[in-house]
Amino acid sequence: MANAPAFVCTACGARHGKWSGRCESCSEWNTIREEAPLAAGPGSRSLGAARGRTIGLSDLSTTETPPPRTLSGIAEFDRVLGGGLVPASALLVGGDPGIGKSTLLLQAAAHFARAGLKVIYISGEEAAAQVRMRARRLGLEQAPVRLAAETNLRDILTTLDAERPDLVIIDSIQTMWADNVESAPGSVTQVRAAAHELTGFAKRRGLSVVLVGHVTKEGQIAGPRVVEHMVDTVLYFEGERGHPFRILRAVKNRFGPADEIGVFEMTGTGLAEVVNPSELFLSERGTPSPGSVVFAGIEGTRPVLVELQALVAPTPHSQPRRTVVGWDGGRLAMVLAVLEARCGIPFAGLDVYLNVAGGLRISEPAADLAVAAALLSAREDAALPAETVVFGEISLSGALRPAPQTENRLKEARKLGFTTAILPEGGKTGPDRGIRRTAIADLTGFVGQVFGAG
């Protein structure tokens, strides 16, 4: 029976069906003790009485050598990974169709192969000839990357076990199928099983695996969210089709900072890394115009300056429109409510459009004050000075809260030629070096000081 008592000799570990005074295996006396089962319930549904091996334990003071990293040579890609590729790690890369995931990973595979890693690229969506055509267009046909087009998971794992690569790229996880799972490729069960087998194989064999994942209409990786918990790093490739800029963002990283971004520009010969994103995002900005405000933000560990554009116009409809691109629509509604309730500036009967220039998506609360400045500038038809940056968080009471890493934001603004910063009181601004600070306590004071009485 599953819950029948078990008797174990404490001297030699031999198991007995009943207690006796002497162990028949080691002939020791009074060493047999009754052993409680690990779990209650029948053995078919619980662990029962069977025991496994004892695992080794260590204390918190144990020091281990950090895992060695391999640099790809693409600085923006290495930045998002946290400093390079970690052996025996699993990465998940998601993004809209046609955004450039396969192009980026093929370029990264070529760089890692030239750095000395044995790389295998397995495509489940394209034929090998199509991948070779892309490699020729990118000028990577001479890179020592091994290529295959296959979707059978058992065949893929058998090949990887024989080849023993350092890095394998699976494009994409939704096309893989395991013959022991009775469901169609791309289903939740198949995606979960394929991701589990590939990540487990990578950990046991000491190789790194990169999984490409499709995204849903909401922009989330398709399939169960448990796939994101299986891997070490989750990267999202963002960007608007009409813009040449692409943002690689780390939303989870066990080996580096999360929310780190890498900026790329799509060119005819592939993705080119952008060393100074702020300068690129502001390169198309012309003379100051109403509704245009420069926001000094922080993406991961780097400061990024980006232009926020707002348009406020009378609406011909009974219900005004609120359209947002690159920011949270709920947060826009909050800023509009605070402006009306605390400052007496109504937006009823007005359509409001907000856009983040360059295709960047902003999520930090420090953009509140810049959004409010853009809305007020568009509503009052008054442009802010060209050399001014704005940042700060707005509370529901109308008070302004200081943003983290204020000094880094100001340093980036000063480097790009900005001379004035509008920010909340109380932030750690550091020494005054060539940029004038206008510190404001609340939103009412901001409206009165920057836009007169409103």
Side-chain angles (χ1 to χ4, degrees):
M1 296 178 61
N3 291 329
F7 298 88
V8 180
C9 176
T10 58
C12 66
R15 304 180 67 86
H16 302 273
K18 62 180 181 179
W19 183 89
S20 62
R22 184 181 182 184
C23 176
E24 298 178 356
S25 298
C26 62
S27 300
E28 293 291 334
W29 289 89
N30 297 325
T31 57
I32 297 178
R33 299 290 184 269
E34 182 177 356
E35 188 177 68
L38 291 176
S44 59
R45 297 181 179 271
S46 68
L47 293 177
R51 292 180 174 268
R53 63 181 179 85
T54 303
I55 61 176
L57 303 176
S58 60
D59 52 34
L60 296 178
S61 62
T62 302
T63 58
E64 296 182 359
T65 304
R69 295 176 181 265
T70 303
L71 297 177
S72 67
I74 306 176
E76 294 296 303
F77 187 69
D78 294 333
R79 170 193 286 270
V80 177
L81 293 180
L85 183 67
V86 178
S89 61
L91 291 81
L92 181 63
V93 181
D96 294 332
I99 202 68
K101 301 185 298 297
S102 299
T103 300
L104 173 66
L105 292 179
L106 186 59
Q107 290 182 239
H111 281 79
F112 279 122
R114 289 167 177 167
L117 297 186
K118 185 177 181 180
V119 182
I120 294 180
Y121 189 103
I122 298 178
S123 175
E125 298 182 346
E126 299 175 300
Q130 293 176 288
V131 180
R132 293 191 187 96
M133 288 175 58
R134 182 183 299 114
R136 283 194 295 270
R137 177 172 58 84
L138 301 176
L140 305 175
E141 65 273 11
Q142 299 301 324
V145 177
R146 306 296 299 278
L147 178 63
E150 184 56 62
T151 59
N152 189 311
L153 185 61
R154 189 180 300 275
D155 295 343
I156 291 173
L157 293 180
T158 302
T159 304
L160 296 181
D161 192 35
E163 294 290 335
R164 296 300 177 96
D166 300 306
L167 171 65
V168 57
I169 297 175
I170 306 293
D171 187 7
S172 66
I173 187 63
Q174 272 80 11
T175 61
M176 300 294 114
W177 63 277
D179 53 19
N180 63 320
V181 178
E182 297 181 358
S183 60
S187 63
V188 171
T189 306
Q190 283 282 7
V191 170
R192 181 191 291 116
H196 174 73
E197 293 292 345
L198 284 168
T199 55
F201 183 86
K203 300 293 184 182
R204 293 192 303 272
R205 297 296 193 273
L207 60 92
S208 300
V209 60
V210 178
L211 309 177
V212 179
H214 296 170
V215 296
T216 61
K217 293 180 179 179
E218 291 77 20
Q220 303 295 327
I221 292 180
R225 295 300 296 269
V226 70
V227 174
E228 298 189 13
H229 297 288
M230 292 180 185
V231 299
D232 301 309
T233 304
V234 179
L235 308 179
Y236 277 89
F237 207 37
E238 306 170 353
E240 299 291 339
R241 288 293 186 90
H243 294 284
F245 313 133
R246 299 290 186 268
I247 310 296
L248 184 64
R249 185 186 303 272
V251 298
K252 170 188 174 182
N253 195 349
R254 291 173 178 163
F255 307 110
D259 288 331
E260 188 66 85
I261 67 167
V263 184
F264 299 87
E265 183 178 8
M266 181 64 76
T267 65
T269 57
L271 290 163
E273 54 183 324
V274 177
V275 180
N276 192 339
S278 300
E279 188 174 0
L280 182 63
F281 287 133
L282 299 177
S283 61
E284 299 178 358
R285 186 170 182 262
T287 58
S289 59
S292 175
V293 173
V294 176
F295 165 60
I298 296 290
E299 294 291 338
T301 59
R302 76 196 313 177
V304 176
L305 269 61
V306 65
E307 180 185 4
L308 301 182
Q309 302 167 346
L311 176 63
V312 178
T315 178
H317 308 288
S318 59
Q319 185 174 1
R321 300 189 62 180
R322 305 287 187 257
T323 304
V324 186
V325 177
W327 205 50
D328 184 18
R331 203 150 188 97
L332 173 63
M334 185 204 75
V335 172
L336 292 174
V338 174
L339 285 172
E340 184 168 357
R342 304 302 180 188
C343 304
I345 302 177
F347 283 85
L350 298 173
D351 287 336
V352 175
Y353 302 89
L354 181 68
N355 176 52
V356 180
L360 183 65
R361 298 182 184 273
I362 298 176
S363 60
E364 62 169 333
D368 291 347
L369 189 58
V371 170
L375 294 174
L376 293 172
S377 172
R379 185 182 183 276
E380 301 299 326
D381 197 25
L384 268 70
E387 296 80 16
T388 302
V389 296
V390 184
F391 59 91
E393 181 181 354
I394 299 176
S395 64
L396 293 180
S397 64
L400 300 182
R401 296 182 176 180
Q405 302 189 44
T406 298
E407 189 174 357
N408 291 337
R409 301 173 196 261
L410 296 176
K411 187 183 300 182
E412 180 73 8
R414 185 176 61 249
K415 184 172 66 175
L416 293 178
F418 290 87
T419 58
T420 304
I422 301 176
L423 68 163
E425 292 181 349
K428 298 180 180 179
T429 60
D432 187 359
R433 297 176 180 173
I435 187 167
R436 183 167 59 88
R437 295 91 184 267
T438 302
I440 302 176
D442 53 28
L443 193 58
T444 305
F446 170 77
V447 174
Q449 187 170 347
V450 179
F451 295 97

